Short mmCIF file of all heavy atoms in Angstrom, two decimals:
data_model
loop_
_atom_site.label_atom_id
_atom_site.label_comp_id
_atom_site.label_asym_id
_atom_site.label_seq_id
_atom_site.Cartn_x
_atom_site.Cartn_y
_atom_site.Cartn_z
N ARG W 262 -199.44 119.24 21.89
CA ARG W 262 -199.85 118.91 20.55
C ARG W 262 -201.15 118.25 20.49
O ARG W 262 -201.86 118.51 19.44
CB ARG W 262 -198.80 117.93 19.91
CG ARG W 262 -198.94 117.76 18.43
CD ARG W 262 -198.20 116.53 18.00
NE ARG W 262 -198.67 115.29 18.64
CZ ARG W 262 -199.79 114.64 18.15
NH1 ARG W 262 -200.51 114.98 17.13
NH2 ARG W 262 -200.18 113.61 18.78
N VAL W 263 -201.55 117.44 21.55
CA VAL W 263 -202.85 116.78 21.47
C VAL W 263 -203.91 117.82 21.47
O VAL W 263 -205.00 117.56 20.81
CB VAL W 263 -203.04 115.89 22.71
CG1 VAL W 263 -204.35 115.24 22.80
CG2 VAL W 263 -201.94 114.78 22.61
N SER W 264 -203.69 118.96 22.09
CA SER W 264 -204.75 120.00 22.06
C SER W 264 -204.93 120.62 20.62
O SER W 264 -206.14 121.10 20.46
CB SER W 264 -204.34 121.11 23.03
OG SER W 264 -204.08 120.69 24.28
N TYR W 265 -204.08 120.54 19.76
CA TYR W 265 -204.11 121.06 18.46
C TYR W 265 -203.77 120.00 17.43
O TYR W 265 -203.03 120.25 16.50
CB TYR W 265 -203.19 122.24 18.29
CG TYR W 265 -203.47 123.39 19.38
CD1 TYR W 265 -202.80 123.50 20.48
CD2 TYR W 265 -204.64 124.27 19.23
CE1 TYR W 265 -202.96 124.51 21.38
CE2 TYR W 265 -204.92 125.19 20.18
CZ TYR W 265 -204.07 125.38 21.25
OH TYR W 265 -204.34 126.28 22.16
N ASP W 266 -204.23 118.83 17.67
CA ASP W 266 -203.74 117.57 16.79
C ASP W 266 -203.93 117.91 15.33
O ASP W 266 -203.22 117.40 14.60
CB ASP W 266 -204.61 116.42 17.15
CG ASP W 266 -204.03 115.14 16.70
OD1 ASP W 266 -202.85 115.02 16.60
OD2 ASP W 266 -204.78 114.41 16.21
N GLU W 267 -205.04 118.63 14.93
CA GLU W 267 -205.28 118.70 13.52
C GLU W 267 -204.46 119.63 12.75
O GLU W 267 -204.26 119.53 11.55
CB GLU W 267 -206.72 119.12 13.33
CG GLU W 267 -207.78 118.06 13.74
CD GLU W 267 -209.22 118.50 13.52
OE1 GLU W 267 -209.43 119.58 12.79
OE2 GLU W 267 -210.11 117.68 13.73
N ILE W 268 -203.74 120.57 13.46
CA ILE W 268 -202.97 121.60 12.76
C ILE W 268 -201.55 121.54 13.27
O ILE W 268 -200.69 122.25 12.62
CB ILE W 268 -203.55 123.06 13.06
CG1 ILE W 268 -203.51 123.35 14.48
CG2 ILE W 268 -204.91 122.97 12.45
CD1 ILE W 268 -203.82 124.79 14.78
N MET W 269 -201.16 120.82 14.28
CA MET W 269 -199.79 120.97 14.79
C MET W 269 -199.13 119.62 14.83
O MET W 269 -199.73 118.59 14.94
CB MET W 269 -199.87 121.45 16.28
CG MET W 269 -198.70 121.81 17.03
SD MET W 269 -198.84 122.37 18.67
CE MET W 269 -199.79 124.03 18.32
N SER W 270 -197.74 119.79 14.72
CA SER W 270 -196.92 118.62 14.74
C SER W 270 -195.82 118.75 15.75
O SER W 270 -195.44 119.88 16.10
CB SER W 270 -196.24 118.31 13.35
OG SER W 270 -195.44 119.33 13.03
N TYR W 271 -195.33 117.61 16.29
CA TYR W 271 -194.26 117.61 17.20
C TYR W 271 -193.06 116.82 16.67
O TYR W 271 -193.28 115.89 15.95
CB TYR W 271 -194.80 117.04 18.47
CG TYR W 271 -193.60 116.58 19.48
CD1 TYR W 271 -193.00 117.53 20.23
CD2 TYR W 271 -193.23 115.26 19.48
CE1 TYR W 271 -191.89 117.13 21.02
CE2 TYR W 271 -192.05 114.81 20.31
CZ TYR W 271 -191.48 115.86 21.08
OH TYR W 271 -190.45 115.43 21.84
N GLY W 272 -192.00 117.28 17.00
CA GLY W 272 -190.73 116.58 16.49
C GLY W 272 -189.50 116.89 17.37
O GLY W 272 -189.52 117.68 18.25
N THR W 273 -188.39 116.19 17.05
CA THR W 273 -187.05 116.55 17.60
C THR W 273 -186.09 116.76 16.58
O THR W 273 -186.21 116.15 15.57
CB THR W 273 -186.65 115.28 18.49
OG1 THR W 273 -186.45 114.15 17.68
CG2 THR W 273 -187.66 115.09 19.66
N ARG W 274 -185.17 117.57 16.82
CA ARG W 274 -184.09 117.87 15.92
C ARG W 274 -182.70 117.78 16.63
O ARG W 274 -182.49 118.53 17.62
CB ARG W 274 -184.32 119.21 15.14
CG ARG W 274 -185.26 119.17 13.96
CD ARG W 274 -185.35 120.46 13.41
NE ARG W 274 -186.16 120.43 12.09
CZ ARG W 274 -186.51 121.44 11.51
NH1 ARG W 274 -186.17 122.70 11.83
NH2 ARG W 274 -187.36 121.37 10.41
N ASP W 275 -181.99 116.90 16.28
CA ASP W 275 -180.49 116.92 16.81
C ASP W 275 -179.59 117.23 15.71
O ASP W 275 -179.65 116.54 14.63
CB ASP W 275 -180.10 115.58 17.38
CG ASP W 275 -181.05 115.08 18.57
OD1 ASP W 275 -181.77 115.98 19.14
OD2 ASP W 275 -181.20 113.91 18.77
N PHE W 276 -178.76 118.20 15.86
CA PHE W 276 -178.03 118.69 14.74
C PHE W 276 -176.73 119.51 15.23
O PHE W 276 -176.61 119.75 16.41
CB PHE W 276 -178.81 119.68 13.76
CG PHE W 276 -179.32 120.84 14.50
CD1 PHE W 276 -178.60 122.05 14.55
CD2 PHE W 276 -180.52 120.80 15.16
CE1 PHE W 276 -179.16 123.22 15.23
CE2 PHE W 276 -180.99 121.91 15.92
CZ PHE W 276 -180.25 123.09 15.86
N PHE W 277 -175.82 119.67 14.17
CA PHE W 277 -174.71 120.68 14.40
C PHE W 277 -174.96 121.87 13.62
O PHE W 277 -175.80 121.89 12.72
CB PHE W 277 -173.42 120.11 13.83
CG PHE W 277 -173.11 118.68 14.49
CD1 PHE W 277 -173.39 117.53 13.91
CD2 PHE W 277 -172.47 118.67 15.72
CE1 PHE W 277 -173.15 116.32 14.49
CE2 PHE W 277 -172.21 117.44 16.36
CZ PHE W 277 -172.53 116.27 15.68
N ARG W 278 -174.31 122.98 13.98
CA ARG W 278 -174.66 124.27 13.33
C ARG W 278 -174.18 124.29 11.88
O ARG W 278 -174.66 125.12 11.09
CB ARG W 278 -173.89 125.40 14.03
CG ARG W 278 -172.39 125.43 13.83
CD ARG W 278 -171.80 126.68 14.50
NE ARG W 278 -170.35 126.81 14.24
CZ ARG W 278 -169.60 127.95 14.65
NH1 ARG W 278 -170.26 128.78 15.44
NH2 ARG W 278 -168.37 127.99 14.33
N THR W 279 -173.49 123.28 11.35
CA THR W 279 -173.15 123.19 9.96
C THR W 279 -174.06 122.48 9.13
O THR W 279 -173.91 122.25 7.95
CB THR W 279 -171.77 122.45 9.78
OG1 THR W 279 -171.78 121.24 10.48
CG2 THR W 279 -170.64 123.38 10.43
N GLU W 280 -175.12 122.09 9.83
CA GLU W 280 -176.24 121.37 9.12
C GLU W 280 -176.79 122.11 7.98
O GLU W 280 -177.20 123.24 8.13
CB GLU W 280 -177.38 120.89 10.21
CG GLU W 280 -178.65 120.18 9.54
CD GLU W 280 -178.12 118.80 9.03
OE1 GLU W 280 -177.65 117.98 9.77
OE2 GLU W 280 -178.29 118.63 7.79
N THR W 281 -177.00 121.45 6.88
CA THR W 281 -177.60 122.20 5.71
C THR W 281 -178.99 121.82 5.39
O THR W 281 -179.71 122.57 4.58
CB THR W 281 -176.74 121.87 4.53
OG1 THR W 281 -176.75 120.47 4.19
CG2 THR W 281 -175.37 122.34 4.63
#
Side-chain angles (χ1 to χ4, degrees):
R262 187 197 64 82
V263 174
S264 303
Y265 302 102
D266 190 42
E267 293 184 0
I268 63 171
M269 187 178 293
S270 61
Y271 161 79
T273 62
R274 280 181 174 174
D275 298 343
F276 60 90
F277 301 99
R278 72 175 186 179
T279 53
E280 177 66 60
T281 58

